Amino acid sequence: MIEVDALSKRYGTQLAVNEVSFRVERGEIVGFLGPNGAGKTTTLRMLTGYLAPTAGKIRIEGIDAVRSSLRARTRLGYMPEGVPLYREMRVHEYLHHRAALKKVSEARAAVDRALVLAGVTDVKNRIVGQLSKGYRQRVGLAEALIADPPLLILDEPTSGLDPNQVRQFRELVRGFGGSKTVFLSTHILSEVQAVCDRVIIIREGRKVADITLDQTTKLEDMFAELTTSGIAEESP
Amino acid sequence: MRSAWVVMKRELGSFFVSPLAYVVLTSWLIFTGITFWILSEFYARNAVASGSDTPLSGFFGGSALFFIPLLVFVPVLTMRLIAAERQSGTLEVLMTAPVSETSIIWGKYGAALVMWATLWIPTIIYAWITSQHGSVDWGAVGSSYFGVFCLGIYFMAVGLLMSTIAPTQIIAAVLSFVALGALFAVGVGEFVLDGTLREVCAYLSMWGHMHSFSKGVVDSRYLVFDFSVALLAVGLSIAVLKARRHG
């Protein structure tokens, strides 16, 4: 699970994330919403140890992710936005490389399992750079799953997927419900409604809502209200 | 250390499937082939009665033909190391795996040294060719290669540092070229300056370094310099990569 306390990140004079606090319980699937530039990716990068916070605390599975970053990173699988991959490698080579980097014992079995889970077994001998965007996205997901981490952090996981792939992805994530904690950022509201138990909304670096979802939640109206209200007054 | 090995294997794998590797290696061999031919011709036409200069000692640093291509080839080999990962975004995936910056940098550096070795191993054939037509001082050849290896230790470390600092590969290549060019120019100061400055330039001179090794003289002062610069550059690369998290 994730515990975030008063997390801030400053780039020069700009405060990208401003004292954000939240908790994600074990087995929960939580959506992280916000307009473009709200600080979603910066927050995820701090959770995964790619960026150090300016202030605040992060605990991943009870481990202080700022002080013991390496240990915290063993507990999570991360799929960054745009899914950067080594394009010259074959899919199975890439996954074996990542398994070795993550010190996965019995790498062969782990690679086979990740290939099946992400639905990329049929392209395992193909060169990553020659795959379609949808497949590359799923190779990124296979990579995040390779060490069988208890926590998955996914940044815009369905951007670039076709409707069928989006459906498969949603089914896969829903299938993790209870067994893995999933924290995913997106700005596709229907996706959140389809897979998430709860949603955290940020705007201009601040948390503006933390809502448990049910069938009746009018997410679209709520999002519009939370992320646009007040903007007219703020602009000169 | 195991992570460094994994990083190194990946780096070498991606280098040797890239067209860049073959363009670099082929042009390097064409260039050194021409250099060796020019030097052999020169020594064959001008039978030098005195001195210990041979085509091989000339080849290993006795002429500017040794250094000028290196000032270009080293930046091309090292520019990708970190800058390519930063440019393509894979640095984010690499640095969110449970791998320390130290392992990443040592892995990349190990790969760079292997690339350096692949430049030089084929040149052994020039020593063999010479041995078929005259006598070769194999001790001097051995110390020349040792000198080349020590020079590589610091050239590749400087290239690695520039690749860690630079936002793109091209900038990394230009920075390495400038840094190595400056170090080369400092060596030339030995022939221009006087007094203590001259001593300092002689000590820093890559020309003097290879001149001494190519004659079979292993000068420990040059080794201390090579290893210190290499350690400093590798250490700085680790620090730069760590500092990036706070960017």
Side-chain angles (χ1 to χ4, degrees):
Chain A
M1 60 48 164
I2 313 172
E3 292 163 88
V4 171
D5 186 24
L7 191 66
S8 297
K9 179 72 186 178
R10 184 181 286 281
Y11 295 117
T13 54
Q14 190 209 344
L15 201 54
V17 175
N18 188 358
E19 299 206 355
V20 168
S21 303
F22 59 85
R23 277 175 72 92
V24 178
E25 300 300 335
R26 190 163 293 156
E28 251 189 320
I29 300 175
V30 176
F32 193 45
L33 277 181
N36 287 331
K40 299 191 296 287
T41 296
T42 302
T43 305
L44 297 193
R45 284 179 166 172
M46 288 192 280
L47 295 181
T48 54
Y50 185 60
L51 288 177
T54 309
K57 289 198 178 85
I58 304 167
R59 295 181 85 79
I60 303 282
E61 295 274 307
I63 302 162
D64 185 329
V66 181
R67 285 196 182 157
S68 314
S69 177
L70 279 181
R71 209 150 63 83
R73 280 183 251 159
T74 61
R75 307 301 162 91
L76 59 89
Y78 175 43
M79 191 168 122
E81 191 180 0
V83 199
L85 300 166
Y86 295 124
R87 302 175 71 96
E88 71 284 354
M89 292 178 111
R90 291 181 192 281
V91 171
H92 72 92
E93 282 171 352
Y94 176 67
L95 294 176
H96 270 110
H97 161 70
R98 296 295 299 180
L101 212 54
K102 292 181 169 181
K103 301 179 183 76
V104 175
S105 52
E106 303 194 18
R108 190 182 294 266
V111 169
D112 287 344
R113 191 178 42 82
L115 284 168
V116 172
L117 270 176
V120 284
T121 313
D122 52 333
V123 294
K124 70 175 182 179
N125 291 319
R126 297 268 302 274
I127 291 168
V128 171
Q130 294 175 351
L131 295 176
S132 68
K133 189 166 183 207
Y135 266 116
R136 286 207 301 274
Q137 199 95 0
R138 286 194 269 165
V139 172
L141 186 64
E143 191 283 319
L145 290 166
I146 194 112
D148 196 17
L151 169 63
L152 282 179
I153 295 181
L154 313 170
D155 196 357
E156 307 275 358
T158 56
S159 70
L161 298 188
D162 69 33
N164 286 331
Q165 292 165 338
V166 170
R167 191 170 47 83
Q168 284 168 1
F169 171 80
R170 286 178 183 172
E171 280 165 13
L172 180 67
V173 171
R174 263 202 301 257
F176 293 141
S179 66
K180 285 191 193 304
T181 312
V182 182
F183 190 60
L184 62 95
S185 97
T186 180
H187 45 228
I188 305 167
L189 298 177
S190 60
E191 185 160 295
V192 175
Q193 201 104 39
V195 299
C196 298
D197 309 320
R198 191 151 66 85
V199 57
I200 294 167
I201 302 178
I202 66 165
R203 173 190 158 187
E204 290 165 7
R206 282 184 171 280
K207 186 173 94 171
V208 289
D210 188 337
I211 313 151
T212 304
L213 295 175
D214 57 46
Q215 296 300 319
T216 58
T217 314
K218 296 260 186 290
L219 195 56
E220 209 160 318
D221 300 341
M222 203 179 284
F223 182 80
E225 190 182 325
L226 287 164
T227 57
T228 55
S229 64
I231 283 183
E233 294 96 276
E234 280 168 21
S235 49
Chain B
M1 266 304 95
R2 200 184 133 207
S3 307
W5 172 244
V6 177
V7 171
M8 176 175 153
K9 266 199 321 192
R10 211 268 335 148
E11 186 66 34
L12 286 173
S14 100
F15 177 66
F16 284 108
V17 298
S18 73
L20 179 75
Y22 298 95
V23 171
V24 167
L25 289 173
T26 309
S27 31
W28 168 253
L29 286 177
I30 291 171
F31 206 94
T32 52
I34 292 172
T35 305
F36 180 67
W37 175 73
I38 291 173
L39 290 168
S40 302
E41 271 295 303
F42 176 79
Y43 285 104
R45 284 170 195 274
N46 307 281
V48 219
S50 62
S52 51
D53 287 341
T54 65
L56 285 175
S57 73
F59 180 73
F60 288 112
S63 74
L65 292 174
F66 176 88
F67 296 102
I68 290 165
L70 283 181
L71 298 184
V72 176
F73 281 99
V74 169
V76 171
L77 286 178
T78 54
M79 66 182 186
R80 307 166 72 244
L81 294 170
I82 298 289
E85 301 243 17
R86 176 172 290 150
Q87 241 176 318
S88 69
T90 48
L91 193 65
E92 183 166 359
V93 191
L94 183 59
M95 292 188 65
T96 50
V99 186
S100 67
E101 288 85 352
T102 311
S103 298
I104 294 173
I105 291 293
W106 280 110
K108 296 280 183 180
Y109 184 51
L113 291 181
V114 174
M115 292 172 196
W116 176 258
T118 38
L119 282 187
W120 288 100
I121 288 168
T123 63
I124 293 173
I125 199 166
Y126 303 136
W128 178 79
I129 291 171
T130 313
S131 76
Q132 299 304 297
H133 303 282
S135 63
V136 166
D137 178 353
W138 290 103
V141 170
S143 79
S144 296
Y145 276 102
F146 182 64
V148 162
F149 176 72
C150 293
L151 203 65
I153 278 180
Y154 105 75
F155 275 23
M156 296 319 248
V158 169
L160 169 64
L161 175 61
M162 297 308 158
S163 182
T164 313
I165 292 171
T168 68
Q169 295 185 61
I170 299 296
I171 296 176
V174 172
L175 287 177
S176 305
F177 177 77
V178 170
L180 293 173
L183 282 162
F184 179 72
V186 165
V188 179
E190 185 187 352
F191 307 106
V192 187
L193 301 164
D194 289 314
T196 321
L197 271 177
R198 188 188 162 279
E199 290 285 309
V200 172
C201 289
Y203 174 63
L204 299 178
S205 168
M206 48 182 89
W207 205 311
H209 175 297
M210 282 315 297
H211 190 68
S212 131
F213 278 87
S214 68
K215 296 280 168 54
V217 182
V218 177
D219 189 334
S220 57
R221 287 178 311 162
Y222 290 123
L223 298 186
V224 171
F225 175 71
D226 296 344
F227 281 89
S228 335
V229 173
L231 277 179
L232 180 70
V234 170
L236 281 175
S237 304
I238 295 170
V240 169
L241 205 56
K242 280 188 176 166
R244 196 216 46 81
R245 287 191 202 275
H246 299 273

